[in-house]
Amino acid sequence: MKSNLTPLGPKADKDTVRRSNLSLVLRAVRDEGEGEATRAGVAARVGLTRAAVSSLVEQLLETGFLTESGKTFSGQAGRPGTALKTARTGPAGLGVEVNIDYVSVCVVDLAGTGRVRLTEHLDNRGTPPAEVLARAARIAARTLDSAREQELYPVGVALALPGLVSGGAVRQAPNLGWNQVPAEELFAAALTAEHPGHQELPVRSENEANLAALAELWFGGLERIRSFLYLTGEIGVGGALVIDGELLRGANGFAGEIGHVVVDPSGPQCRCGSRGCLEQYAGQAALLRAAGVDTGGGLGVAELEKRVRAGDERAVGAVAEAGRMLGRVLSGAVNLLDPDAVVLGGIYRNLMPWLAAPADEELTGRVVSGLWAPGGGRLRASSVAGDAARGAAALVMTDVLADPVAYARPAMA
């Protein structure tokens, strides 16, 4: 969760300046990593005086956002400094990913560390949206209980949802059969019913591929890569664009729907209403069918991975063909957007040893700049950190980091 740290100018009022500077200091400590920040180091990073930073640190220590260890650093001029780190208790974010065949819930702390995780595999296709979201709320309620046992207090919820998401609603999710579903409203009501008497948590929602891409950006070790195209392979194929460290959402928030780019206009009918969409060739169901793997019982992907590792000819061929289709569609996106890298997540991550070469070959032959080369490192597997539930939970925490005063216990004066 890297951030640009810029102090406010002299024209801002004192309260605004102090709130902004508390945010600067808190984010600077978080960005330094576990136990590596000192007052002097933070002052140098954010461009404030050592005295100003010390005052801000004391306030963050008093209100429980930071802790101080006995470890000291003496490599800098002046007295040794004690190490600062973000607290492991206090405000937290709750992320809830609702997908076609599972629900995953995650709680993260101020550092973005996943502290609680519950995942249940459920077939949500054909189930009324209110029932699916009520299931998710029940899982979330159990997660909240576990978080509070660790003295973590979630301050908000972010829903990671498949399909077109905007204005608190799922406008269309073809694989779930959802249209114009007020997901935030339904989930909030269900969570309140599960936890009567508890403070209602604000709920927001976002496309699941977008949140997985943010998790990859913040936690995935992409080093200096700030512009990339992220694909997640599940039942459908989702995509997200990160440009200069920011999500590119498009005019209506629907950018990245690469799974519904048409590969062949006369191809198989897609649930979106079109024909020959990418997910009909490279989505999970299409892959399993082509590999001859039974899609029932929820073990299809594990069986596919087992077969490709064993060198099963049909399975290896199916994955290679999916890679070729991905490469063809991705080449158009690369030509249009010129990202530093393409990151493949979801089921594609474990299939990369068999998927990458045919995808790379297509990209090499079709990217007009000539900058794409097989094995050149621009086609990457996602990290294990790049998942939508964690990205959703971390999104909640961006609000806390931006204004710790608003979330302090007790409130900062």
Side-chain angles (χ1 to χ4, degrees):
M1 296 173 68
K2 298 298 181 185
S3 53
N4 295 320
L5 306 175
T6 306
L8 291 181
K11 292 185 179 180
D13 66 78
K14 289 183 179 180
D15 181 63
T16 300
V17 169
R18 188 164 188 84
R19 290 173 80 121
S20 175
N21 287 341
L22 284 163
S23 170
L24 286 173
V25 170
L26 182 58
R27 285 183 287 148
V29 173
R30 187 278 317 275
D31 289 348
E32 280 296 319
E34 192 70 18
E36 296 299 324
T38 64
R39 287 170 173 79
V42 170
R45 180 180 174 88
V46 303
L48 297 171
T49 66
R50 172 76 181 269
V53 167
S54 290
S55 173
L56 295 164
V57 165
E58 289 304 318
Q59 194 167 356
L60 290 167
L61 288 169
E62 288 171 8
T63 48
F65 284 93
L66 296 181
T67 61
E68 197 168 27
S69 75
K71 184 178 180 181
T72 61
F73 297 86
S74 57
Q76 299 168 314
R79 293 183 301 169
T82 55
L84 301 167
K85 57 184 178 181
T86 52
R88 287 181 56 81
T89 59
L94 178 67
V96 180
E97 180 184 4
V98 178
N99 220 306
I100 290 45
D101 55 357
Y102 65 89
V103 171
S104 188
V105 182
C106 180
V107 173
V108 304
D109 60 20
L110 276 166
T113 304
R115 300 285 297 279
V116 184
R117 168 79 72 164
L118 288 177
T119 300
E120 289 192 10
H121 292 278
L122 305 160
D123 188 351
N124 294 318
R125 286 165 289 198
T127 305
E131 185 176 332
V132 172
L133 291 162
R135 289 175 180 173
R138 285 193 289 273
I139 299 167
R142 299 205 308 272
T143 309
L144 287 172
D145 291 337
S146 297
R148 286 169 180 143
E149 289 172 3
Q150 299 182 49
E151 297 184 64
L152 291 166
Y153 305 97
V155 296
V157 185
L159 299 177
L161 302 165
L164 305 180
V165 181
S166 72
V170 178
R171 304 302 176 184
Q172 184 183 26
N175 289 308
L176 280 173
W178 290 11
N179 288 284
Q180 305 299 327
V181 174
E184 289 181 12
E185 179 184 334
L186 291 171
F187 180 86
L191 187 61
T192 299
E194 289 292 328
H195 264 232
H198 288 268
Q199 180 181 358
E200 289 188 21
L201 297 177
V203 179
R204 70 176 75 176
S205 57
E206 179 64 85
N207 172 264
E208 51 89 19
N210 283 349
L211 291 170
L214 286 178
E216 191 68 30
L217 174 71
W218 291 333
F219 311 117
L222 286 176
E223 299 149 4
R224 288 192 279 274
I225 292 176
R226 305 291 288 167
S227 296
F228 62 94
L229 176 60
Y230 183 92
L231 258 71
T232 178
E234 302 292 349
I235 299 296
V237 179
L241 306 169
V242 175
I243 305 295
D244 293 330
E246 300 288 339
L247 272 176
L248 180 65
R249 288 185 166 85
N252 299 294
F254 300 152
E257 285 295 323
I258 198 167
H260 297 289
V261 171
V262 174
V263 175
D264 179 0
S266 61
Q269 184 79 36
C270 182
R271 288 179 180 270
C272 74
S274 185
R275 284 189 172 274
C277 294
L278 175 62
E279 72 175 42
Q280 296 303 308
Y281 300 91
Q284 178 178 309
L287 256 173
L288 296 179
R289 281 196 307 270
V293 175
D294 183 7
T295 59
L299 300 175
V301 174
E303 178 62 23
L304 174 62
E305 292 176 12
K306 178 181 175 181
R307 292 189 189 185
V308 293
R309 288 193 181 96
D312 179 90
E313 186 174 336
R314 184 175 177 182
V316 170
V319 174
E321 181 61 17
R324 279 187 283 273
M325 292 298 187
L326 284 169
R328 289 174 193 174
V329 171
L330 286 168
S331 64
V334 171
N335 282 332
L336 183 64
L337 300 164
D338 189 29
D340 293 320
V342 173
V343 181
L344 300 184
I347 64 171
Y348 300 140
R349 185 169 67 86
N350 290 343
L351 295 173
M352 282 293 282
W354 304 273
L355 195 75
D360 249 342
E361 183 179 351
E362 291 288 336
L363 282 156
T364 301
R366 296 173 186 273
V367 172
V368 296
S369 67
L371 296 177
W372 200 282
R378 294 185 71 185
L379 184 66
R380 298 173 172 226
S382 71
S383 69
V384 292
D387 76 89
R390 186 178 181 189
L395 184 66
V396 173
M397 297 310 290
T398 61
D399 290 341
V400 180
L401 292 162
D403 188 11
V405 171
Y407 296 91
R409 291 189 176 206
M412 291 180 176

